């Protein structure tokens, strides 16, 4: 093979590889739109600065645990109990029942957006990585 044939072959392989990676690996997960309740919960979450002590996807303060998947790990009743009463290290915000409902709805919404920390990787033969246990 002369140099031209080698370069042409490499170029074709590069194009095939690129098309594969940029089409197969980029499908966005389907996420249900936020309900009015969870939107209200998001506002309360911001107003009470829960992120000062908690994280979503590892970002936030580090006094309390990451809340991304609290709902699927422990259930809504568990989260509700913390938000209703607080603990020795988490303040009780004296929230009304509707506000607690909204915060729990927000945590349920966030729980469905993905998993943190990422685990169970699925590595495709061409190098792209996706999460095997993605809820979508
Ligand atoms: C001053 C820091 C602080 C703030 C502000 C705070 N939390 Fe917490 N939170 C904690 C700590 C610390 C824990 C762990 C408590 C324990 O185990 O006793 C916790 C636990 C929790 C849990 C249980 C999580 C799990 O997986 O075990 C939930 C749910 C929760 N907080 C929700 C909230 C919400 C919602 C807000 C805002 C309204 C909030 N927190 C504000 C410190 C805080």
């Amino acid at each position: 093979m002369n140099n031209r044939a080698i370069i042409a072959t490499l170029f074709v392989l590069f194009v095939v590889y690129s098309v594969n990676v940029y089409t197969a690996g980029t499908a966005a997960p389907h996420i249900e739109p936020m309900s009015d309740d969870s939107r209200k919960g998001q506002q309360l979450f911001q107003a009470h600065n829960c992120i000062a002590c908690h994280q979503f996807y590892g970002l936030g303060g580090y006094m309390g645990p990451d809340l991304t998947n609290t709902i699927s790990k422990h259930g809504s009743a568990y989260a509700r109990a913390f938000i209703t009463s607080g603990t020795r290290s988490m303040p009780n915000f004296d929230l009304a029942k509707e506000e607690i409902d909204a915060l729990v709805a927000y945590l349920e919404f966030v729980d469905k957006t993905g998993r943190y920390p990422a685990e169970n990787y699925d590595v495709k033969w061409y190098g792209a990585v996706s999460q095997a246990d993605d809820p979508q």
Side-chain angles (χ1 to χ4, degrees):
M1 257 205 290
N2 63 20
N3 281 354
R4 249 184 212 199
I6 292 171
I7 289 173
T9 309
L10 288 175
F11 181 75
V12 168
L13 287 175
F14 167 75
V15 169
V16 169
Y17 178 83
S18 298
V19 166
N20 214 331
V21 167
Y22 285 99
T23 53
T26 55
H30 173 74
I31 297 171
E32 290 293 318
M34 283 179 103
S35 66
D36 287 348
D37 223 20
S38 56
R39 201 172 292 282
K40 199 176 137 213
Q42 183 181 36
Q43 282 159 4
L44 288 163
F45 197 89
Q46 287 165 357
H48 292 289
N49 210 9
C50 312
I51 207 75
C53 299
H54 292 286
Q55 314 95 58
F56 284 136
Y57 291 100
L59 297 177
Y62 285 93
M63 189 175 161
D66 188 291
L67 296 179
T68 316
N69 298 123
T70 294
I71 298 295
S72 51
K73 274 193 218 135
H74 306 292
S76 303
Y78 173 94
R80 177 180 297 276
F82 274 87
I83 298 168
T84 307
S85 318
T87 69
R88 198 136 54 108
S89 43
M90 168 163 159
N92 177 349
F93 291 92
D94 282 325
L95 299 166
K97 188 184 169 301
E98 304 78 61
E99 293 178 311
I100 297 169
D101 289 344
L103 278 166
V104 172
Y106 177 53
L107 292 180
E108 284 166 353
F109 167 81
V110 173
D111 185 60
K112 291 197 195 102
T113 61
R115 322 258 8 110
Y116 184 84
E119 49 202 24
N120 297 332
Y121 288 113
D122 221 2
V123 182
K124 308 260 193 300
W125 64 268
Y126 50 86
V129 176
S130 65
Q131 242 176 271
D133 62 351
D134 223 327
Q136 276 78 39

